[in-house]
């Protein structure tokens, strides 16, 4: 319904009232009684939440000792940390339009309070993400958890989007977790049912993803808060399409990988997709579906919240959500093949500085010259991972234990006290108080700024209550272009790192030793070292080799062993037909077609979810024992002949894909 | 590089002049008379030389019984293979010696490993100072010498032996690559530590953001102002009552129709 429609509807209701005025007094009484009842019934439970998260019942287990590449991290945590001034207005209006938990009246869109709530989401997400980082860092191997703070931006082409500030997402990782907290935009509803993050209440949202070769039917989407799942799938599809087309066309521009929350806010009137969902407690865990982490308004321990400014040794968010969530993350990590999960990301990481090796990577060659070069390259990415892990530690220190954390704890504690007072008043179940509760609680957000204004303490940078993200860019805008940094080399080698550097330069320019410059220098030195040490390889792949798939035309691309211009041996191939359907294959080929052991993802354009085949292939089609995975189904082993399913398959005869590059395991000179 | 080469040449000269290699006839007995560091070096060298040499290759070089018969006459030590002269003039002795050396390494592998462990346990500081790269460099030279000798001999005409030799040569390349990787890794680690050290404790991005970009004093003042608002509760009930009354009046007025006569 458009705004005009809504107005017309409202007018028609008023007209009806006038027309049947004799009925009016009774109706008004009924409405008021109902309203009063609604308010009162809300009073006792106003602004309440669950005491514990659904994850809190999980028992913490050990992290499995899986062999994986030293280049890879286990988890990258992405979260909103800053917003550019250009994006503020659109971000706030998108936030109001795409409200989760109810409709927001149009009049609320432009309110200052709405803007404050939108801002608080960025600030508090930054703060609470640190709890998740600390917890995962404690249970996972050293240097395997990285932070990836994002800055929210806007431009004409991409609309609202976010991009990472650090290079953490260029490091291969088994899992990527998008984390943010959520609060309903309309503060008038603050004390009622909608999801809120205020005081002791917190509503976390997460999306957990892996490589699309992990649960290929769902594109690698593993866990999601339900409101984000459709947009997450759409973004995933766009990202995959973009990546595949880039590979076919030999273009190397990065796909949009905004935070899932930002990608959700960007959308307008998009339909909710019928994606198969499952709950964490289901016995149906094997089903190819996205595990939903239901939106839950968690109530943290009030006593801990009250003492937060003085003592933050015990983290109330940790107790309420993070401990359980990290247990679930560890369970997921244990259930995945880490080599498989990082295979393509490792290839992409190597491609940034050694395209020749990246092409050979798909062959999984055991040739000594390839092994040796791969070992050097992975050590290089591993060193970057270590460096970024150190950066993440510093961000944690700054955000949680530094001034930022201190301010946030003061604010959360003050919010809690306010909320407690209002709760006490609400418990009196007095209608006048109850209505006032709603009105005044809503004023909390607005009151801050107005009070600050009255006290004439607004800074020149426009800093708001805890306006890190908001305020920062006011001062930065003038500085962005003022410094010339010699980063041409990096710009050529790694545009994304260059971007990262420029942002960090904005943050920290004029310092003697700064992270970004340190990173640029570090990367320069390590790349020089790499280039001075690499030897030529005895294996090479053809630059232009064709991959074929029945009925898909001739437009396929093959990265692997090639004969007479077509795929012939091991490697990775992809093809897109005119309708936009895609086929990706990794494994053995003959005459350009999949033949032998391999894995294939078939994605029909517009279809929700993909179909994945793993096992034997002949002339491009599944042949022999094949494991098939489809959305909403439990993966099954079937017997195929020339692409036709002819019965149940013997799982013992399945030729599973092996992504492990055994030859990369480091040797030692010690006898 | 030149420095490394100099060290290597000096080490090679030293090894040649000391000529304390394993005599085939004496094996472990002679070794036990050597200083622990030298024992460790010699044993490591033997293991590194023998890696990748399979039984078929050894049999082709000299059958086991031939080696046993000629055991007394075989006097080559591993270090002898580094001398250019022997590589040129005495190919036959070299191959026989190599066969013995490889066989000895294979047959005595467990004993060699145990000896290495013993030496390491008894002399940890000394062994930690042993330059494994230098030993590996020597091993690579010796392995290449052996491989060359085989490739010049008539046994290479057998295709199977050629394959075994290729495998042995690949292992030599692998050894070189591992050695080079360790040097690379050492340097990479140094660079990484240096880079981490240069940002460690100095990044603190948010701290700086507050101190210098956002103006933390101003923020504190704002926060104090916010706290004042949060804690302003004295007349809350009274104000709430007035506000509620106003709201209810407004609701009634907005929802009702004027009673026009």
């Amino acid at each position: 319904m458009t705004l005009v429609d809504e107005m017309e509807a409202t007018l028609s209701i008023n007209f009806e009232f006038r027309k049947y005025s004799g009925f009016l007094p009774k109706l008004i009484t009924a409405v008021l009684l109902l309203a009063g009842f609604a308010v009162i019934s809300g009073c006792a439970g106003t602004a309440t939440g669950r005491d514990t998260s659904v994850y809190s019942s999980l028992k913490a287990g050990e992290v499995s000792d899986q062999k994986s590449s030293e280049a890879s991290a286990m988890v990258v945590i992405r979260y909103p940390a800053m917003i550019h001034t250009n994006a503020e207005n659109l971000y706030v209006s998108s936030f109001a339009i795409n409200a989760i938990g109810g409709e927001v009246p149009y009049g609320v869109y432009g309110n200052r309070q709405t803007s404050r709530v939108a801002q608080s989401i960025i600030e508090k997400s930054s703060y609470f993400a640190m709890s998740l980082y600390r917890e995962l860092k404690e249970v996972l191997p050293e240097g395997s958890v990285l932070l990836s703070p994002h800055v929210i931006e806007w431009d004409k082409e991409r609309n609202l989007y976010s991009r990472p500030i650090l290079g953490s997402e260029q490091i291969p990782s088994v899992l990527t977790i998008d984390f943010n907290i959520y609060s309903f935009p309309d503060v008038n509803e603050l004390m009622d049912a909608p999801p809120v993050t205020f005081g002791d209440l917190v509503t976390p949202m997460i999306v957990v993803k892996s490589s699309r070769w992990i649960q290929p039917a769902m594109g690698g989407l593993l866990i999601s808060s339900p409101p984000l799942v459709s947009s997450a799938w759409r973004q995933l599809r766009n990202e995959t399409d973009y990546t595949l087309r880039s590979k076919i066309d030999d273009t190397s521009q990065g796909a949009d990988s905004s935070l899932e929350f930002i990608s959700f806010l960007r959308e307008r009137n998009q339909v909710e997709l019928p994606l198969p969902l499952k709950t964490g407690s289901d016995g149906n865990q094997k089903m190819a579906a996205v595990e939903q982490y239901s939106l839950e308004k968690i109530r943290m321990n009030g006593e801990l919240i009250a003492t937060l400014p003085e003592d933050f040794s015990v983290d109330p968010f940790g107790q309420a959500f993070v401990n359980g969530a990290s247990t679930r993350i560890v369970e997921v990590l244990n259930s995945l093949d880490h080599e498989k999960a990082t295979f393509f990301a490792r290839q992409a990481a190597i491609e940034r500085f050694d395209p020749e090796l990246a092409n050979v990577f798909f062959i999984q060659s055991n040739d000594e010259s390839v092994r040796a070069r791969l070992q050097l390259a992975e050590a290089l990415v591993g060193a970057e991972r270590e460096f970024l892990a150190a950066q993440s530690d510093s961000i944690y220190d700054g955000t949680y234990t530094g001034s930022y954390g201190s301010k946030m704890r003061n604010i959360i504690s003050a919010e809690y006290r306010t909320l407690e007072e209002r709760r006490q008043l609400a418990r009196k179940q007095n209608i006048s108080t109850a209505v006032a509760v709603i009105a005044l609680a809503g004023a909390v957000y607005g009151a801050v700024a107005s009070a600050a204004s009255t006290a004439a303490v607004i800074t020149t940078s426009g800093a708001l209550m805890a306006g890190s993200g908001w305020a920062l860019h006011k001062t930065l805008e003038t500085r962005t272009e003022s410094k010339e940094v010699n980063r041409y080399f990096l710009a050529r080698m790694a545009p994304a790192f260059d971007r990262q550097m420029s942002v960090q330069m904005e943050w920290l320019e004029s310092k003697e030793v700064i992270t970004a410059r340190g990173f640029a220098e570090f990367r320069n030195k390590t790349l020089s070292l790499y280039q001075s040490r690499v030897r030529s390889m005895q294996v090479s792949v053809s630059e232009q080799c064709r991959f074929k798939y029945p009925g898909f035309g001739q437009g396929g691309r093959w990265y692997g062993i090639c004969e007479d211009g077509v795929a012939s041996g091991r490697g990775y191939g992809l093809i897109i037909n005119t309708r936009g359907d895609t086929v990706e294959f990794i494994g053995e080929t003959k005459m350009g077609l999949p033949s032998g052991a391999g894995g294939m993802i078939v994605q029909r354009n517009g279809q929700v979810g993909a179909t994945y085949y793993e096992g034997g292939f002949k002339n491009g089609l599944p042949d022999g024992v094949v494991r098939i995975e489809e959305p909403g189904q439990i993966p099954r082993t079937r017997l195929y002949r020339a692409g036709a399913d002819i019965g149940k398959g013997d799982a013992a005869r399945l030729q599973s894909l092996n992504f492990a590059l055994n030859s990369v395991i480091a040797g030692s000179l010690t006898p | 590089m030149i420095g490394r080469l100099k060290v290597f040449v000096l080490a090679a000269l030293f090894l040649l002049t000391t000529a304390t290699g394993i005599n085939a006839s004496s094996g472990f007995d002679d070794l036990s008379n050597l200083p622990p560091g030298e024992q460790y070096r010699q044993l490591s060298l033997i293991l590194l030389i023998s890696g990748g040499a399979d039984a078929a290759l050894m049999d082709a070089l000299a059958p086991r019984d031939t080696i046993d018969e000629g055991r007394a006459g075989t006097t080559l030590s591993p270090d002898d293979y580094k001398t250019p002269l022997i590589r040129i003039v005495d190919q036959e002795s070299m191959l026989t010696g190599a066969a013995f050396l490889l066989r000895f390494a294979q047959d005595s592998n467990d004993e060699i490993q145990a000896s290495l462990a013993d030496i390491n346990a008894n002399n940890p500081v000394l062994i930690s100072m042993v330059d494994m790269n230098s030993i590996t460099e020597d091993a690579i030279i010796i392995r290449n010498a052996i491989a060359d000798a085989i490739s010049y001999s008539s046994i290479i005409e057998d295709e199977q032996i050629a394959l075994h030799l290729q495998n042995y040569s690949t292992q030599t390349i692998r050894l070189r690559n591992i050695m080079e990787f360790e040097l690379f890794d050492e340097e990479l680690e140094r660079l990484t530590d240096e880079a981490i050290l240069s940002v460690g404790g100095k990044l603190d991005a948010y701290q700086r953001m507050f101190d210098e970009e956002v103006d933390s004093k101003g923020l504190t003042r704002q926060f104090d102002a916010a706290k004042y608002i949060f804690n302003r509760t004295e007349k809350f009930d009274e104000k709430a009552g007035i506000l509620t009354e106003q709201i209810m009046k407004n609701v009634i007025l907005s929802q009702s129709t004027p009673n026009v006569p």
Side-chain angles (χ1 to χ4, degrees), chain A residues 425 432 464 511 515 535, chain B residues 180 203 212 222 233 236 244:
Chain A
L425 287 168
S432 61
L464 297 170
K511 303 295 171 201
T515 315
R535 288 175 178 268
Chain B
E180 288 184 351
L203 168 65
E212 296 173 27
Q222 286 185 1
T233 57
F236 180 78
T244 307

Side-chain angles (χ1 to χ4, degrees), chain A residues 64-96:
Chain A
S64 70
D65 187 21
Q66 272 205 54
K67 188 175 66 184
S68 59
S69 152
E70 71 166 309
S72 307
M74 282 198 180
V75 174
V76 172
I77 302 171
R78 313 190 323 156
Y79 62 96
M82 300 163 69
I83 182 162
H84 198 278
T85 36
N86 289 348
E88 285 170 16
N89 288 340
L90 187 60
Y91 168 67
V92 174
S93 58
S94 301
F95 174 66

Side-chain angles (χ1 to χ4, degrees), chain A residues 28 50 63 99 219 276 309 317 415 486 513 542 551 563 617 636 655:
Chain A
I28 290 174
R50 296 170 63 108
V63 182
F317 187 55
E415 285 176 356
N486 184 10
V513 181
S542 167
E563 262 177 39
F617 289 85
R636 55 199 190 278
Q655 295 174 284

Side-chain angles (χ1 to χ4, degrees), chain A residues 24 368 371 376 379 394 398-399 403-404 407 410 418 421 425 432 436 440 444 463-464 511 513 515 535 669, chain B residues 133 174 177 180 184 188 198 203-208 210 212 219-220 222-223 230 233 236-237 240 244 257:
Chain A
L24 186 65
E368 173 55 25
R371 185 208 67 82
L376 294 177
S394 298
T399 311
S403 281
Y404 188 87
K407 303 291 176 204
N410 275 308
T418 309
E421 284 167 16
L425 287 168
S432 61
L440 291 187
V444 164
L464 297 170
K511 303 295 171 201
V513 181
T515 315
R535 288 175 178 268
L669 292 181
Chain B
N133 284 329
R174 186 183 174 99
N177 288 341
E180 288 184 351
F184 167 83
L188 189 64
S198 74
L203 168 65
D204 209 354
Y206 284 91
Q207 187 71 50
R208 291 182 185 187
F210 270 83
E212 296 173 27
L219 195 82
T220 307
Q222 286 185 1
F223 178 75
F230 281 130
T233 57
F236 180 78
D237 281 339
T244 307
T257 311

